[in-house]
Amino acid sequence: MNDADRTPIEDTRFGEITVRQDCQDRLEVEGEGIPRVTLERGPESEVDPQTAIGTRDPAHLTMRIDGREVELKPAKGGLRRRSYRVDVEYEGVGYRLVPDSVPSSRLTRDGVHIGDFSSDGDEMVIAEWKEGAEIRPVDASIGYALSSAFGTGGQPMWMMIADGVSSALP
């Protein structure tokens, strides 16, 4: 991972945040005001080209926040947006990143909407924090890591069905 060509993201609450991806093997998120996150895919797993980190199988993924392993549960993905959710358990707090529009996903902490993220599954992540929400540094670490590793957003089921029908027509 070459830092020379990485431009930090300017987060409105936490300043400069850097997201680094090393192919589909490893991802790092760090910044002065947030805990460091690493997410690694096991070398034995089959690589899914549709997922930035290479897999949605939790058995082949390891996520750490400031060096401590956390529970990561990406759903398998299917027809419904919600099937692309990613859950994290950290220090007794439940986080969920779930698509809620075509380009973005919402981040919740213990079921409370705290922010919206947009990313194509690359190192460029945009965060918009919910007005009036108490945002913690670890919230940013988790949101940026999940958005970069799994991407954000998703088409509604009706749009996917319409695309399938139109592509089947002569």
Side-chain angles (χ1 to χ4, degrees), residues 91-167:
E91 294 187 342
V93 177
Y95 290 89
R96 174 172 282 179
L97 184 74
V98 63
D100 65 353
S101 68
V102 173
S104 67
S105 294
R106 73 176 167 269
L107 180 66
T108 62
R109 181 182 63 229
D110 285 337
V112 176
H113 183 182
I114 58 172
D116 297 294
F117 285 80
S118 297
S119 177
D120 290 333
D122 56 20
E123 295 174 340
M124 179 46 114
V125 179
I126 298 169
E128 292 180 29
W129 299 109
K130 198 81 167 142
E131 193 72 35
E134 177 192 333
I135 309 301
R136 304 170 188 162
V138 73
D139 300 342
S141 297
I142 291 170
Y144 279 91
L146 297 181
S147 297
S148 179
F150 298 101
T152 61
Q155 291 185 335
M157 190 170 15
W158 68 265
M159 192 180 287
M160 290 172 54
I161 292 169
D163 285 347
V165 169
S166 67
S167 66

Side-chain angles (χ1 to χ4, degrees), residues 42-59:
E44 71 286 351
S45 72
E46 198 171 307
V47 176
D48 173 6
Q50 301 299 314
T51 306
I53 194 65
T55 186
R56 295 185 72 83
D57 183 348

Side-chain angles (χ1 to χ4, degrees), residues 18-39:
T18 303
V19 177
R20 294 181 198 90
Q21 290 181 357
D22 185 5
C23 299
Q24 289 183 297
D25 301 322
R26 180 178 169 85
L27 173 124
E28 293 179 11
V29 174
E30 61 187 351
E32 263 189 59
I34 64 169
R36 183 172 181 254
V37 171
T38 60
L39 181 54

